[in-house]
Amino acid sequence: MDQTTIVLVDDHSLVRDGIKALLESEQDLKVIGEGADGTEAIALVGEKKPDILVIDIRMPKMTGIEAVEKLNAMYPDMKCIILSMHDSEEYILQSVAAGAKGYLLKDTGKAEFIKAIHTVRDGGKYYSGDISNVLVNNLLNPTANILDSPKKKTRTNNPFDLTNKEIQILELILSGLTNKQISEKLQNSKRTVETHRFNLMRKMEVKNLMDLSKKARAYKIV
């Protein structure tokens, strides 16, 4: 059986170990290289010539999106899959524009992950359900220019560098909705909403809903 070779890039070694174990539980998949940032991804792809690159977004030195864009310019047939905890429109659309053939969230189940690998390997594209919704909405509502670089997008009253999706979820949290209600409203998984909620608390340096509300209103974020 011909094996599909994979380079895996994530700045957390424990995450890489888990993903590698999941992938190599399939006889036709083999991880032949591992890296911790975008620059290492470029070097590994040049050295190992994998069938697929699986890469995170937020990493030191060079982001996954920047690496994918550079790799697609260097190797037009390169097949890259973004695997991230972030489902913000900015990241998703920038990844697609950079040339990623797939985008999966880190709470994706094994069956879907393997299906995505096989689909991309065979020349297709694969985006999980939540991601597909973002892409469809962008096609139906193309007026928002989300493909601009995040560095070019500036927000007033946003000293905590929150993404558009995080601000959206912050507004829903402050309106009194539970994580389950938010997930149903946005058609995201409950775990994804919980991740955004955790990131909001971390970025804004608060520990409870009352402090989150006070800080958001004090800085006029919502």
Side-chain angles (χ1 to χ4, degrees):
M1 178 186 297
D2 291 337
Q3 287 188 312
T4 299
T5 57
I6 299 167
V7 161
L8 176 61
V9 179
D10 191 293
D11 59 329
H12 295 97
S13 59
L14 286 176
V15 173
R16 291 200 309 272
D17 290 344
I19 297 171
K20 181 179 179 180
L22 183 151
L23 293 173
E24 292 192 337
S25 66
E26 300 293 309
Q27 292 185 351
D28 65 330
L29 304 180
K30 182 175 180 58
V31 175
I32 60 171
E34 298 179 49
D37 59 62
T39 57
E40 291 184 11
I42 292 174
L44 282 165
V45 168
E47 176 188 352
K48 303 288 187 179
K49 301 294 191 298
D51 296 313
I52 294 176
L53 169 68
V54 176
I55 188 169
D56 190 14
I57 289 181
R58 297 187 68 172
M59 298 180 294
K61 296 183 181 179
M62 182 186 295
T63 70
I65 294 173
E66 291 170 331
V68 168
E69 186 172 22
K70 290 180 182 296
L71 285 168
N72 272 278
M74 297 165 65
Y75 311 105
D77 295 329
M78 186 66 223
K79 298 173 180 177
C80 304
I81 296 177
I82 296 287
L83 180 64
S84 175
M85 65 183 291
H86 301 285
D87 66 347
S88 70
E89 291 186 0
E90 293 99 326
Y91 283 147
I92 295 166
L93 297 176
Q94 287 160 19
S95 296
V96 172
K101 300 299 189 293
Y103 194 116
L104 297 171
L105 299 177
K106 285 186 176 178
D107 60 359
T108 296
K110 176 183 176 180
E112 185 174 20
F113 193 3
I114 300 303
K115 181 180 179 182
I117 294 286
H118 289 162
T119 299
V120 171
R121 176 199 63 191
D122 294 338
K125 297 182 180 180
Y126 194 97
Y127 308 102
S128 59
D130 291 347
I131 307 307
S132 295
N133 290 337
V134 171
L135 296 176
V136 170
N137 289 337
N138 184 66
L139 288 173
L140 295 177
N141 302 283
T143 54
N145 189 11
I146 298 177
L147 291 181
D148 286 342
S149 167
K151 295 180 180 178
K152 295 179 182 178
K153 292 174 69 67
T154 58
R155 294 190 188 94
T156 57
N157 305 323
N158 182 16
F160 306 104
D161 193 28
L162 304 181
T163 66
N164 286 341
K165 189 59 172 286
E166 287 168 348
I167 291 177
Q168 181 184 26
I169 288 180
L170 175 61
E171 291 172 342
L172 294 174
I173 289 173
L174 298 185
S175 73
L177 297 186
T178 65
N179 288 348
K180 182 179 180 181
Q181 290 170 327
I182 294 172
S183 69
E184 291 172 350
K185 183 178 181 66
L186 300 181
Q187 296 184 321
N188 291 159
S189 70
K190 184 180 176 183
R191 183 172 176 181
T192 296
V193 174
E194 290 170 348
T195 297
H196 282 302
R197 189 172 189 137
F198 172 82
N199 287 336
L200 281 167
M201 306 284 273
R202 176 181 56 81
K203 286 183 176 182
M204 296 180 67
E205 298 180 342
V206 297
K207 295 183 178 180
N208 56 58
L209 182 59
M210 183 177 294
D211 289 344
L212 181 70
S213 176
K214 286 180 179 179
K215 208 160 195 177
R217 300 190 192 287
Y219 283 91
K220 297 181 181 179
I221 299 173
V222 295

